[in-house]
Amino acid sequence: MTTRRGLFLAPFDALADAGIVADLAATAEAAGWDGFFLWDHLQYGDRVTSIADVWTCCAAVAMRTETMLFGPMVTPLPRRRPQVLARQASSLAVLSRGRFVLGLGLGDDWVGEFSAFGDEPDPRVRGRMLDEGLDVLTALLSGEPVDHVGAHYTVRDVGFRPAPAVPIWLAGRYGNPAPLRRAAGHDGYFVIGLDGPTDLDVVTAALAAHRPATGSDGFGFDGFDVVVDLQPRQDPTPWLDRGASWVLTRIGPYDLDLAEVRRTIEAGP
């Protein structure tokens, strides 16, 4: 299995400009990075003063790159309308000629990112919203007519024209079985909070309980990605042969210096 390398970038403060983000994405592609993934937040505590809209940034990245995969990492589906998200995702898939990846998760209210706007603060309720929203979203993206009346979402006899396939990666914290189980039914698992590369053995074993390992190396999952992120100064080498198909380098969230970010990206994976 060849592990791909990507960037996991917070479009905050010095990077809170879609034009700057697009320039950085073009630089990343030229430097040999395989992916460019953006944090999706409305607020991030007192130390972050400016945040760029991830969807505007994704459109700008699509226009400035040709080969890299990109997308939000991750969008909290419980604060979104699945039908609007499906339209945005399919539009970006068309714009990028199939390079868009949709990262989804539960979201976190640790700085009031839900409660401050009247959105659902209870993570258990958001979990139910996420599951139902995924059903609606994936059905709409398939192009099949959707007639759904549920506890949180209603879509009555609507069909979208099929677009290029949109891979869906689900995020979750290491040791939490619910997001891993949820991710196993889609296209990838972005696992956060790992203590070290040996934790990946636990992750891949748990995934194998939900979807058989089919990679030629014995632990890979054909058509399914296992994604981790590291700090810029962390050595990625120990992670490359432990079952991760993507190792991302995190940029952010605090004290972002544009010149330093450029140097990190230009150095390549």
Side-chain angles (χ1 to χ4, degrees), residues 70-122:
F70 70 97
M73 192 66 71
V74 297
T75 287
L77 181 53
R79 76 168 180 227
R80 305 296 305 278
R81 293 184 177 183
Q83 64 271 23
V84 176
L85 189 61
R87 184 63 78 199
Q88 291 172 319
S90 59
S91 296
L92 283 165
V94 170
L95 181 63
S96 65
R97 296 176 177 84
R99 295 183 291 116
F100 179 72
V101 176
L102 180 55
L104 297 174
L106 198 64
D108 200 316
D109 198 41
W110 70 281
V111 290
E113 198 167 8
F114 286 84
S115 54
F117 300 98
D119 292 328
E120 179 56 59
D122 188 331

Side-chain angles (χ1 to χ4, degrees), residues 11 16-18 38-42 51-58 88:
D17 180 320
L38 297 165
W39 301 28
D40 184 7
H41 289 275
L42 297 176
I51 299 176
D53 172 64
V54 71
W55 299 95
T56 305
C57 289
C58 280
Q88 291 172 319

Side-chain angles (χ1 to χ4, degrees), residues 1 4 8 11 16-18 21 25-26 30 62 70 90 98 101 123 132 157 170 175 191 229 236:
M1 179 182 66
R4 289 186 280 186
F8 177 47
D17 180 320
V21 171
F70 70 97
S90 59
V101 176
E132 185 182 342
D157 194 24
L170 274 297
V191 56
D229 76 291

Side-chain angles (χ1 to χ4, degrees), residues 194-211:
L194 295 170
D195 290 327
T198 56
D199 289 343
L200 276 171
D201 298 339
V202 179
V203 172
T204 54
L207 284 168
H210 298 284
R211 54 185 301 149

Side-chain angles (χ1 to χ4, degrees), residues 11-34:
F12 298 170
D13 293 333
L15 311 185
D17 180 320
I20 289 173
V21 171
D23 287 343
L24 293 174
T27 298
E29 187 170 83
W33 296 92
D34 302 302

